[in-house]
Each structure stands twice: as structure tokens, then as C-alpha cells.
Amino acid sequence: MRNIHDIANSLTLAEKASLCSGGTFWDTTAIPSKGVPSIMMTDGPHGLRKQAGGADHLGLNDAVQATCFPTAAAIACSWDPELMRRIGAAIGEECQAENVGVILGPGANIKRSPLCGRNFEYFSEDPYLTGQMAAAHIAGVQSQGIGASLKHFAVNNQETRRMTINAEVDERTLREIYLAGFETAVKASKPWTVMCAYNQVNGEFCAQNKRLLTSILRDEWGFDGVVVSDWFATRERDDCLKAGLDLEMPTSVGVGAAKIIEQVNNGSLSINMLDKAVERILTIVFKAVDAHKQNAAYDKDAHHALACETASESIVLLKNDNNILPINNSASVAVVGAFAKSPRYQGAGSSRINASRVSIPYDEIINAASGANVTYCEGYSLDGKGDAAQMISEAVSAAKSAHVCIIFAGLPDSDDSEGKDREHVRLPDDQNALIDAVITAQPRTIVVLMNGSAVELPWADKSAGILEAYLAGQASGKAIADILFGAVNPSGKLAETFPVKLNDTPCYLNFPGDASRVEYREGIFVGYRYYDTAGIKPRFPFGFGLSYTMFEYSDITLSANEILDTDSLTVSVKVKNIGSVAGKEIVQLYVNDAESSVLRPCKELKGFVKLTLQPGETGKATFILNKRSFAFYDKALKDWRVETGLFNILIGASSEDIRLSAPVQVNTTTSVKKCFTLDSTLYDIRNEPAAAPLLQSLFSSAQGETMLGMDADAVMLSIKVRSLAALSMTPISERSVTIEQLAAMVEEMNK
Ligand code: BGC
């Protein structure tokens, strides 16, 4: 049995230091004389990108072929962690076949703004959904003896100045929105590695942010794996190591190691700290080596089929007026749009996969339309060449002469890209013009969208059908055709809000910040938490998606009407398929805090269940809630806290479409230390039993009167306790009170 501790002990200082940086661009350092091999760590997240020849960060050398699964933005719309786990396992198998030890993903950053260029690599605007999907991804990958790397930790929500920007975020927002998904994934699935982000959080680079990398990640959440830098994110190697960053990637050709050696030798860096990092690195290196399966291979067809199944579960039907979909396969079809033949199915950057094959929507439509007449027009050009007006007019006449028209539209590749944010959320102007002209001429038009993040859809009200395919991987062409022609009933629901316009988005005025910092002024009001609470109607809400059937919700049942916050609460509802085809429904549970002393969003997602139901079948969705389902992060307490009071359990088909609700009284078990002072206001102390006798005896007759036309109650409530001494000498008071008596009252209240 190998003893990691003994191996670490056998290493010289120089060897230990060398192990803490990559040996090459993608490999850890090997120390053959001591029997320490290297492992390969490479991208991720929605498939394997292993560069075949010499490594270069720009990806100029082609990667080996791999299955390009749907991107995180797409898979999240399946709301199916089990499917995500299967994808993770399939990616793990491909890593085994390619002898990769750690795959760099999943990304659990929150979609703060639809402008973020890397949104396609992230799951959602909601931390609960993000956490469930990230945990499942990790569990799947690691089930194959391959390590996952949860990234980019943390608060990495934009590409503009991604290497340097300082994200300024308050503690409650940090915990409730930006860390919660990471927390779930770390606690539930124990990733082998966590990758620190490039940016700064509240004035400290993530790579040397001890609070994030050690206090929160290790001490609070119990992470015992390796913290790896994002590529080139390391700063001074010793400072990073002290903060909790074990492994610098890629190689720094000796610079990092030299710094560590120097600092250990001069006593500034403890050898213990270095030893801990070394042992953690050795642990995952040997874990990967031991789990490696010689001559592993995977079934390419099966993985392509899994990519197709996932895409079918993820595509979201946004509009279906007059049941324009599914298309009757004897109808003549005009296919319009260059993406029908050159589909977008992944984004640009380090996640780009050399797909083993790609299913082409146009070809799949021809198959699905089984003999019906299918025509094609380019509609717009992908390279900026060609006469836009001419292409539009050809498309209009093709659409008019067919029974139904399908337009493929979406964002250009460069708009879903690592390293660059979008400046607006519009589709290209020529595509909007095309769609507008075609849907005016042919009302039976369906628009299929291929994009990595939310877009404005100015023509949405006029179009009969909209299918959001996101960037759904190499098999998306087949999945789209299956849905268009009814072989598959769509069941995806949006994992992010589609705003009417960019100006409606919560951080519109604070994204991407200035030359050095970005203030997260919208706080916890991200995504639907903002739209809902501020009453801003989005184009399509979070959690929304249609089906070819309909579902009826009934019988909400709670296991108790009153609980302690340490109890769990079981909620169940019945859902019936009342249409004529089989379908899947994603049932969502939101919690509303009806009586809160702190500002809270009007609802927060705390559970979801995906049911498969035959026509006429009734299923049951069951949810188990716990303390975190009701809690907010209390900065003063440095912990999660539930306030005693009434909560509403909301069951919805989307965040906007709440079908059932039931109240529950939750009683807190946390006693919060009171800290009233003489400067507390009468409003602050109004419900304090220890204050009641004095307050009543002072002002019984002032109740309800007006003062200079003001509301007397409101005026009185704003007064500080200490002012009562002077006020009690005036005619409005029934008796006098001294400052000493007030101080005694404050002391009594604080007991
Ligand atoms: C990206 C990471 C990626 C790494 C290695 C970085 O630029 O931010 O997500 O895993 O490169 O390619």
C-alpha cells in the first residue's frame, strides 16, 4: 500500500517545490527518480479537448477527436442532474481512453449578465440549479477515476479585464449568489481539484485569496483536494501557496519553484505548508494513475447518441402558437438560414472540442420530413459577403411557397467566446431583418435559435414558433429535427431569464465596471430574483418552457404546518398529463419569505423534479426542504439564519407561472444576540417586551395625533431612545424619564 506521506518525505526541497508547478503546459511535474509520475490536466467542460501535438494555449494545434456534448448553458435547461451525471461519466471514459487524469470543469459561475462571453460554459443565473448540475457533472466524471476541476473560483462573471478586474461584492451576495453553487458541488461531490479564477474578489486576487481558498473552501466546506491556478493566474508563488493554492499551472519553467525554495530557506514559508500542498498533489496524481485503465476505449456511437438525447432534453420550446409544432411531415418545408447547414453547437475558447462528428440540421430535417419537399436558402451570410437584401427576398419567396418555414438564427461564433464579452444582446441586424420579413410573409414560421446566452427577440410577439437550441453539442441537428417533427416532445426549461431588452437587466449600469473594478451593486437581485421582485416583465422568464402536451398541478401537501429550522419539510404535489402525448414536466419549488426583516427576493428556487408522464397519467413530485431552503446569510452572525415567521411554498411550472402554494411556519433555533443602544430608534425596539411599559406610560395620548401635519406615529418611531429623556420633559409626555432609566431599559432589552 502506497504511503503518500512517506513519498513526500523522500523528496528534496527542490523536488517538492517543482511538484507545485506544472511540468509542461498540461502535465504535472514528474519526479522519476522518486517514482512520481505526471498526469495530464486538460479542458473541459462539455467534452475533452486534448491537444494532440505540442501544447499551445491558443489551441492552434488540433485537439484529438472527442464527443462534443451540449454546453452547460444548454444542459442546464434539461434540469436533469442524472443526465448530467451520465454525461460526466461519458467524458470521464473519454479521458480514460486518452490518458488524461483531470478534466478542467465544470464551470459553476453565475450568469450575472447575459453579456458575459463565457455564459455558454456556465449553467444558470440561479445558484441552486448551478450547484445541482455542477455536483452531478463532478460525480459523473469522478465515477470513472478521473478528477474534475470545479472552476472558476470565484466571482468570475465577465471576460472584460478577466485577468485583473476586482469584483466588489458584499458578503451576503457573495454567499447567497456567487459561492452557493460551488459550496453545493464541493460538499456533495468532493471534486479532486478546484481551479481559482483570474480576477480579484474584494481587493485580493483569487490566486492568493486566503479567505476564499482556505477559510471558506477548506475550513468551512471541508475541501481536501488540490487548488489549481487557472492557467497563468498565479502571482507571487509563495504568497499563493500561503493562501492555499497548491498547484501552479501551467509550468512556470522553474520560476515558481525557485521562489518557493528561496522563501523556505529564508524562513518566510513554512515547510509544513509546502508539505501539505505536496501531499495533496501526490494524492491526486496517484489516484489518477491507480485508476487509469490500460487500453481503455469508448463507444463513439453511444456517446453521440447520449449527446443527442441530452440535446433533446435541453432544447426549450419558447413559443408554439396554434400548435404550429410539431410539423406534419407531409408538409413542404422551407429551411432558411446558414446555421441550418453550418450549425453553431459550441462556443469559442479553451472549451472548444474537435467534435467526432456533427449532425447537420438541414440533413436531419430532410430525413425527418420523409419525402416532403424541403428547400433551402442561406438567408444571411456568415462571412459578411453577399447581398443581404437579395438573400432576404429569396428567403421570403421560398417561405411563401412552402407550407411552413424554419429559420435557423443565432449569434455569430465570436459572440459566445472566452476572453470577450458582448456589447449588446441582439442578434445580428441582418438576421433580425430576415426574421421580420419572413414571419410577415409566412405566418407559419418557426425560428430555431443557436446561441450561448440570452438574446433580445424583438420579433417574438409576431412569430408563431420559437425553439431555443442554445449550443447543444455535436448531435443538436438531429435533436432539433426530432423536436420539430414530433419524434421528441420538448421538455427543456430556461435556466436563465430572457429580458425584453438589455437595459432591463439587473446589472445594466454596473457591467463590466471601469478600468479596475466592477461593483456588484444589484446585490442578491440577480436574474429572476430581480425581475420578479422589481416587477419587470421579461420576454421569457426563468424556468419557462413549453411542451406538446399540458400538465395540471394539484394536491400540494406539506409534512407539517409548523417546523423548527433544524427539521426537514417534505412537500409533494400531483401533476397530471392532460394532453394526448407523453411528455416531461419540470416541476419547480420556490420559497417565499413572507415576514422578513431583511430584504429578500420574492421567491428563490429550492427544489425541482422532472416527471415523465404518459397521456392521462398522474405523477407525484416530492421535495425535501431543509434549513438552507429558508435561510439567508447573516453577515453579523457569519452564518446562515432562518428568521421565525411564515414562509410560502410555491410550486410553479416556471418562476412566473406559480400553480400552487401553501404556507408553513418556520421557527428559528438560532438566538441572535440583541445589541440595542441608546441610539436605537423607537422603531427598532417597538416589539421589545422590556420597552413596552415605559413607552406606553410616556406617550399614551400622543397616539394617532399629527405633528406639523406629519404622521405622529411615524415621527415618534424615528426618535432615538436617548432623546426620550429630553422629550419626556415636554408636554407631549405624560411623565419624565432619566437617561439612567433609559440605559437600564436598554440593558434589560439586551438580556
Ligand atoms: C481558462 C480555463 C481553462 C484554462 C486551460 C484558461 O484560460 O480560463 O477555463 O481551463 O485556460 O485551458
Side-chain angles (χ1 to χ4, degrees), residues 154-170:
V155 203
N156 178 188
N157 311 101
Q158 64 187 59
E159 292 300 288
T160 309
R161 300 187 191 87
R162 67 172 173 155
M163 306 260 176
T164 53
I165 196 83
N166 178 23
E168 293 184 1
V169 54
D170 69 83

Side-chain angles (χ1 to χ4, degrees), residues 25-26 41-45 49 57 104-105 118 121-122 151-152 156 159 162-163 195 198 229-232 350-351 418:
F25 204 88
W26 300 116
M41 309 175 81
T42 192
D43 290 303
R49 180 177 74 105
H57 198 224
L104 307 175
R118 265 185 120 166
E121 280 188 71
Y122 303 140
K151 66 189 189 181
H152 309 89
N156 178 188
E159 292 300 288
R162 67 172 173 155
M163 306 260 176
M195 182 193 288
Y198 287 126
S229 69
D230 197 345
W231 266 231
F232 303 108
S350 59
S351 66
E418 180 174 341

Side-chain angles (χ1 to χ4, degrees), residues 10 57 111 413 454 470 497 546 556 751:
S10 75
H57 198 224
K111 298 176 205 267
D413 211 23
Y470 276 102
T497 308
L546 300 169
I556 180 167
K751 277 186 185 158

Side-chain angles (χ1 to χ4, degrees), residues 61-392:
N61 288 320
D62 256 358
V64 298
Q65 283 195 350
T67 313
C68 179
F69 291 102
T71 58
I75 302 186
C77 300
S78 74
W79 296 60
D80 189 340
E82 173 49 24
L83 190 55
M84 179 76 259
R85 196 200 55 74
R86 285 169 57 207
I87 298 272
I91 293 172
E93 278 182 31
E94 299 196 15
C95 289
Q96 279 290 356
E98 293 293 347
N99 200 9
V100 166
V102 171
I103 181 145
L104 307 175
N109 298 100
I110 292 293
K111 298 176 205 267
R112 175 175 180 241
S113 164
L115 292 172
C116 174
R118 265 185 120 166
N119 274 359
F120 72 93
E121 280 188 71
Y122 303 140
F123 294 110
S124 176
E125 65 190 24
D126 179 82
Y128 181 82
L129 181 55
T130 295
Q132 300 302 313
M133 298 305 280
H137 180 126
I138 296 165
V141 167
Q142 296 192 169
S143 71
Q144 299 306 306
I146 301 296
S149 192
L150 180 63
K151 66 189 189 181
H152 309 89
F153 189 62
V155 203
N156 178 188
N157 311 101
Q158 64 187 59
E159 292 300 288
T160 309
R161 300 187 191 87
R162 67 172 173 155
M163 306 260 176
T164 53
I165 196 83
N166 178 23
E168 293 184 1
V169 54
D170 69 83
E171 185 64 14
R172 188 175 157 209
T173 303
L174 182 68
R175 299 291 188 148
E176 291 187 19
I177 304 295
Y178 296 99
L179 295 187
F182 284 96
E183 181 183 355
T184 301
V186 165
K187 288 182 174 169
S189 295
K190 301 190 180 308
W192 292 13
T193 76
V194 167
M195 182 193 288
C196 79
Y198 287 126
N199 52 286
Q200 306 178 53
V201 175
N202 293 332
E204 185 61 275
F205 279 93
C206 291
Q208 57 183 48
N209 197 317
K210 188 166 184 187
R211 176 147 198 267
L212 282 178
L213 303 187
T214 299
S215 311
I216 295 179
L217 183 61
R218 293 195 190 282
D219 301 345
E220 282 187 36
W221 300 348
F223 175 69
D224 61 3
V226 168
V227 175
V228 56
S229 69
D230 197 345
W231 266 231
F232 303 108
T234 313
R235 303 187 76 236
E236 293 305 329
R237 189 63 192 93
D238 52 321
D239 290 339
C240 294
L241 195 87
K242 285 180 195 158
L245 184 123
D246 305 300
L247 177 59
E248 168 188 44
M249 284 302 284
T251 175
S252 61
V253 284
V255 176
K259 194 66 189 269
I260 290 175
I261 295 167
E262 173 199 307
Q263 297 293 307
V264 171
N265 284 336
N266 73 19
S268 327
L269 179 67
S270 89
I271 188 79
N272 268 348
M273 197 160 260
L274 176 61
D275 283 344
K276 276 191 189 156
V278 166
E279 288 190 19
R280 288 184 196 124
I281 294 167
L282 287 173
T283 303
I284 66 153
V285 166
F286 283 107
K287 231 169 151 174
V289 168
D290 291 345
H292 181 58
K293 299 172 189 151
Q294 290 298 331
N295 307 319
Y298 63 94
D299 181 342
K300 281 192 180 166
D301 293 339
H303 285 196
H304 184 76
L306 178 60
C308 184
E309 178 190 345
T310 312
S312 325
E313 296 277 329
S314 307
I315 291 168
V316 187
L317 179 61
L318 292 175
K319 268 199 98 183
N320 195 17
D321 289 356
N322 306 320
N323 293 330
I324 184 168
L325 290 175
I327 299 166
N328 169 341
N329 61 8
S330 59
S332 60
V333 181
V335 175
V336 170
F339 286 155
K341 287 194 173 177
S342 308
R344 290 228 34 236
Y345 57 94
Q346 63 175 332
S350 59
S351 66
R352 176 153 293 192
I353 284 152
N354 183 4
S356 60
R357 75 183 79 153
V358 178
S359 78
I360 303 298
Y362 174 70
D363 299 343
E364 300 294 345
I365 286 172
I366 289 182
N367 285 342
S370 56
N373 186 33
V374 179
T375 60
Y376 170 77
C377 293
E378 203 178 354
Y380 51 87
S381 126
L382 292 179
D383 58 9
K385 294 183 187 142
D387 179 342
Q390 170 73 21
M391 283 190 273
I392 291 177

